[in-house]
Amino acid sequence: TERMTLEEDLKSGLLENQFEVYYQPKVNMQTGEVIGSEALVRWHHPTLGNIRPDIFIPVAEESGIIIQLGEWILRTACRDTLKLQQMGMGDLQVAVNISAVQFTGGDLLPTVKRALEETEFSATSLELEITESAVMHDPEAVIRSLHELSQFGIKLAIDDFGTGYSSLAYLKRFPVDTLKIDRAFIKDISRDSDDVVIVEAVLGLGKHFGLKVVAEGVEDNDQLEFLKRQGCDIAQGYHLSPPLAFDQYLAWLEDWNRERDEIDSGVDAASEYNSAVVQLHKNGRNA
């Protein structure tokens, strides 16, 4: 009964604009520059409050509602990121999660094209993330879809890499640009030698295949420094910033840009805004 009720609430939630897209910044670990964000959906239920994605996303996938919800997320993320670009916040990218259901539906490319055309957003600023387990569900079909998307100019990422038991033989056939190390391997990286080996192996794979590697779930400075020493490309996590509503994301970017300008002009602003992002930026400048 609860599941059926949730499914009906999902349908009405779409009609009543109960969903909101949040953005978690992604930072170049070597320069401290913000390269963009990952778009994450939030559901503000009128009576139940905020419902966690791990509760409603599986229901949306099972019911097929994820097709409509996913297209709305895609359009919103493209529209919001274009707005930030036009406001002078930089050449920002946005990464949008794609469900396996959207891949197997057979019309993902037309959906993405339609969203890009409607929002006038550049395909080269969009990255689609698919989980490793979704890739392995039907690898041949996914490979065909990935090649179609890649040829259109869209960047592609494998999310939660290392958790889906993928065959490395497939990895060289995937036209992907980015590997995202699952947060489970980052969490204990400062005290678990097994996690260290796994992260080093993923970084080695990324370097070999010419891929960017993103560490998600970075929650403290020890993790950040270790990953930077290991040559990780991009960091994402609460130590840098939690997921933010659009207005919060804009304010966060404005703070970062202000500090960047002050650092470039030789003014030490760290005493007032001593954020991890600024420290990365300063370290990159000093190097």
Side-chain angles (χ1 to χ4, degrees):
T1 301
E2 289 178 357
R3 190 213 172 280
M4 292 175 64
T5 301
L6 192 62
E7 183 177 331
E8 291 302 315
D9 286 353
L10 276 168
K11 295 176 183 176
S12 59
L14 275 170
L15 295 173
E16 297 170 8
N17 299 317
Q18 295 172 10
F19 293 94
E20 185 176 8
V21 177
Y22 275 48
Y23 301 92
Q24 187 167 38
K26 297 162 71 174
V27 179
N28 183 312
M29 296 196 69
Q30 306 308 315
T31 67
E33 296 182 15
V34 181
I35 66 160
S37 66
E38 178 182 358
L40 301 162
V41 66
R42 295 293 183 263
W43 185 8
H44 308 301
H45 194 283
T47 57
L48 300 177
N50 294 330
I51 301 179
R52 299 200 317 269
D54 62 330
I55 292 177
F56 71 81
I57 291 294
V59 177
E61 290 179 329
E62 293 167 13
S63 62
I65 297 172
I66 193 67
I67 301 294
Q68 186 179 356
L69 178 60
E71 185 170 0
W72 175 83
I73 295 169
L74 183 61
R75 283 199 312 271
T76 303
C78 291
R79 187 178 296 112
D80 284 351
T81 306
L82 178 61
K83 188 182 300 183
L84 293 171
Q85 291 174 348
Q86 293 171 338
M87 294 174 70
M89 293 297 114
D91 187 21
L92 300 174
Q93 301 174 6
V94 66
V96 179
N97 294 283
I98 298 297
S99 164
V101 177
Q102 292 170 276
F103 262 101
T104 56
D107 62 347
L108 180 59
L109 182 58
T111 298
V112 174
K113 284 183 176 179
R114 185 164 58 247
L116 292 173
E117 289 170 0
E118 289 178 3
T119 60
E120 299 182 349
F121 191 64
S122 171
T124 56
S125 295
L126 175 63
E127 183 173 71
L128 301 181
E129 295 185 4
I130 180 171
T131 62
E132 186 181 357
S133 56
V135 167
M136 297 311 298
H137 179 70
D138 187 354
E140 294 300 330
V142 169
I143 287 172
R144 287 194 296 273
S145 295
L146 290 176
H147 276 287
E148 290 178 351
L149 292 163
S150 179
Q151 290 168 3
F152 191 63
I154 297 164
K155 295 181 176 64
L156 302 165
I158 297 181
D159 198 6
D160 300 340
F161 188 76
T163 64
Y165 310 103
S166 69
S167 166
L168 294 181
Y170 280 113
L171 185 58
K172 64 181 181 181
R173 297 177 57 196
F174 295 152
V176 297
D177 306 275
T178 305
L179 297 180
K180 297 192 73 175
I181 307 175
D182 186 73
R183 66 185 67 246
F185 303 123
I186 304 299
K187 182 178 179 182
D188 297 319
I189 201 169
S190 58
R191 53 184 180 274
D192 190 320
S193 59
D194 291 339
D195 285 343
V196 170
V197 171
I198 291 171
V199 169
E200 288 176 343
V202 175
L203 289 169
L205 284 171
K207 183 177 182 180
H208 177 79
F209 287 108
L211 308 175
K212 295 288 186 183
V213 178
V214 178
E216 54 183 349
V218 177
E219 296 182 355
D220 60 47
N221 198 61
D222 288 342
Q223 295 169 351
L224 196 70
E225 289 302 318
F226 172 84
L227 291 162
K228 185 176 180 181
R229 288 196 304 271
Q230 295 299 317
C232 187
D233 299 295
I234 299 162
Q236 175 184 348
Y238 275 72
H239 185 57
L240 301 171
S241 173
L244 303 167
F246 177 79
D247 289 343
Q248 296 171 324
Y249 181 34
L250 171 59
W252 187 92
L253 287 167
E254 288 175 335
D255 284 345
W256 183 87
N257 284 338
R258 180 173 63 251
E259 291 189 43
R260 180 190 61 185
D261 292 342
E262 291 173 344
I263 291 167
D264 288 344
S265 62
V267 176
D268 186 1
S271 59
E272 183 178 359
Y273 298 106
N274 192 16
S275 67
V277 175
V278 174
Q279 290 305 312
L280 275 171
H281 185 72
K282 290 175 71 175
N283 291 341
R285 288 286 178 184
N286 293 337

